[in-house]
């Protein structure tokens, strides 16, 4: 279990660094796909609610340290996303191509909804997403296209990422 | 019976943890402009942004290694073929031209830095936060180089100097810049020709223009598309007369007493690599 938590934490930290320091500097990308969200959804589906929300909370905290959003903003979004994906632990077959796309599509919409909800309570700090903007369209497309690839790549490391042993059988 | 109790406990534990995490994040979110939270964030920013800088360097290193490998394979081919000598020469020529261009760019930056009245610190952009809610820029200079919170950041690009934003977060070796296109950034601005005062605010996106508010309707006959908008220098937040951008569109709303003016920033943020952080309280000693 310790090994799995350590591996998952390193994975999430690497993804955040990759997203913030390398991908965000590539000017041809109009938006950076939310790799952290895809990874978090995968870990939630693999390990359940408790681990999903915990990974979400701590990865959100690191993201808050590195970005300009108010402290606590990403923490809240990632915690809810991790918990929500953990709800479907063992209830959903997330292998293949179509299911990861669908799951991440719903995840991105949920993220957008949570941001809208937070912006409702903190209108001075947080600006809500525009659902009909090209930016959101590109983000959702990028996330959905990357989801099957990332799920497949992560599935090779299930042995290190899965906390519940029966998942591996 | 035991199974039932275990199931109940399990449900309570996960929801309990969720509630705790949400309370903590909500607490931080509510007080994100408060004193101790800011310090906590500052400490975290110092640690993780240093790590971020290392990642940036590693990424550059890997890129450099790949480039080196590619160059090596080119050299091998050139060694085997006679025609490759010409190719090598052309490549050297190209690389020479690139170095010359880079040299010119750096010389421009240096000249610009030395020409400023105030003490300043040239810096390199190492990361960009592209999200529309709160876009930010991270630079490779921090408190160890003398950077302080609220210092204005300017840049020299294609022969023009312009306002980039201001420092909002200072780590040990890195700092975060609030760019003028951020919707939370408001700059006291002045029309360069007619000297009318207004307030320039961003729209959150690098592609969108900046809005200039509170320019009275009476000024309309004197305004033209292309007129420059500069900083007013009031409140000593920014230096006086630094160019923000030029007017790209003027429109009138019947019910509004002021004009709707859109300003195109003079700085192309997509291409921006180097910036200069200005310390308005100290004099530039390097100035000749």
């Amino acid at each position: 279990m310790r090994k799995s938590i350590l591996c998952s934490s390193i994975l999430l930290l690497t993804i955040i660094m990759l997203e913030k320091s390398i991908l965000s500097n590539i000017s041809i990308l109009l938006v950076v796909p939310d790799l952290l969200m895809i990874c978090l959804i995968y870990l939630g589906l693999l390990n359940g609610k408790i681990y999903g929300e915990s990974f979400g909370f701590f990865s959100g905290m690191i993201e808050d340290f590195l970005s300009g959003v108010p402290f606590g903003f990403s923490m809240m979004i990632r915690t809810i996303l991790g918990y929500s994906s953990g709800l479907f632990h063992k209830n959903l077959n997330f292998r293949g191509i179509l299911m990861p796309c669908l799951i991440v599509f719903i995840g991105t919409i949920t993220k957008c909804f949570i941001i809208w909800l937070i912006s409702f309570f903190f209108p001075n700090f947080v600006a809500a997403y525009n659902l009909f903007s090209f930016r959101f369209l590109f983000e959702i497309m990028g996330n959905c296209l990357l989801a099957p690839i990332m799920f497949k790549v992560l599935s090779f490391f299930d042995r290190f990422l899965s906390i519940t042993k029966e998942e591996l059988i | 019976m035991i199974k039932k109790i275990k199931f109940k406990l399990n449900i309570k534990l996960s929801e309990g943890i969720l509630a705790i995490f949400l309370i903590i994040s909500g607490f931080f979110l509510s007080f994100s402009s408060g004193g101790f939270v800011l310090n906590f964030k500052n400490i975290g920013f110092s640690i993780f942004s240093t790590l971020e800088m290392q990642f940036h360097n590693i990424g550059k290193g890997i890129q450099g290694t790949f480039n080196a490998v590619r160059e090596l394979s080119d050299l091998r081919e050139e060694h085997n073929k006679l025609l490759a000598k010409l190719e090598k020469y052309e490549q050297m020529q190209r690389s020479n031209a690139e170095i010359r261009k880079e040299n010119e760019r750096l010389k421009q930056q240096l000249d610009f830095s030395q020409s400023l009245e105030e003490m300043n610190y040239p810096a390199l952009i190492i990361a960009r936060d592209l999200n529309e809610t709160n876009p930010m820029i991270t630079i490779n200079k921090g408190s160890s180089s003398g950077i302080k919170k609220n210092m204005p950041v300017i840049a020299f690009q294609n022969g023009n100097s312009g306002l980039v934003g201001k420092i909002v977060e200072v780590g040990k070796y890195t700092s975060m810049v609030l760019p003028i296109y951020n919707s939370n950034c408001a700059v006291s601005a002045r029309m360069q020709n007619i000297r009318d005062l207004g307030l320039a605010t961003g729209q959150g996106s690098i592609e969108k223009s900046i809005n200039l508010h509170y320019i009275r309707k009476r000024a309309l006959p004197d305004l033209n598309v292309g007129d420059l908008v500069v900083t007013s220098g009031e409140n000593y937040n920014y230096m006086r007369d630094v160019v923000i951008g030029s007017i790209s569109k003027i429109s009138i709303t019947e019910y509004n007493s002021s004009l709707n003016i859109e300003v195109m920033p003079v700085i192309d943020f997509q291409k921006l690599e180097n910036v200069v952080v200005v310390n308005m309280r100290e004099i530039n000693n390097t100035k000749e």
Side-chain angles (χ1 to χ4, degrees), chain A residues 17 20-21 24-25 30 49-50 53-54 57 64-69 71-72 76 79 83 122 127 135, chain B residues 14-15 17-18 21 26 28-29 41 45 48 51-52 55 126-130 132-134 136 176 207:
Chain A
M17 293 300 163
K20 296 282 170 195
S21 61
S24 62
N25 273 328
L30 190 65
K49 288 183 282 187
I50 297 176
E53 66 197 12
S54 304
F57 181 79
D64 278 341
F65 283 141
L66 291 174
S67 61
V69 293
F71 194 66
M76 191 174 274
T79 305
Y83 175 80
F122 301 94
R135 185 170 281 270
Chain B
S14 60
E15 271 74 40
I17 292 172
L18 176 72
F21 283 166
F28 281 134
L29 197 55
K41 180 165 177 168
F45 175 70
F48 287 105
L51 195 60
E52 189 183 30
F55 258 77
I126 57 163
R128 288 163 212 264
D129 201 354
L130 292 174
E132 206 164 326
T133 48
N134 212 347
M136 291 282 176
M176 200 177 268
E207 295 100 24

Side-chain angles (χ1 to χ4, degrees), chain A residues 85-139:
Chain A
S85 59
L87 281 173
F88 300 99
H89 170 56
K90 290 181 186 173
N91 297 327
L92 205 64
N93 178 17
F94 53 95
R95 311 291 176 189
I97 294 173
L98 200 63
M99 278 311 278
C101 282
L102 189 68
I103 293 165
V104 169
F105 178 81
I106 295 166
T108 313
I109 299 279
T110 312
K111 179 184 137 186
C112 183
F113 175 71
I114 300 164
I115 292 175
W116 174 80
L117 212 63
I118 296 173
S119 71
F120 187 73
F121 291 106
F122 301 94
N124 294 334
F125 292 108
V126 182
Y129 260 84
N130 183 359
L131 269 177
F132 303 102
S133 63
F134 276 112
R135 185 170 281 270
F136 180 70
L137 190 72
F138 281 124
E139 184 177 340

Side-chain angles (χ1 to χ4, degrees), chain B residues 129-144:
Chain B
D129 201 354
L130 292 174
N131 73 69
E132 206 164 326
T133 48
N134 212 347
M136 291 282 176
I137 295 171
T138 311
I139 58 170
N140 69 340
K141 291 278 167 74
S143 58
S144 63

Side-chain angles (χ1 to χ4, degrees), chain B residues 219-232:
Chain B
L220 183 62
D222 303 324
L223 288 177
N224 293 306
V225 170
D227 281 0
L228 286 180
V229 178
V230 296
T231 52
S232 72

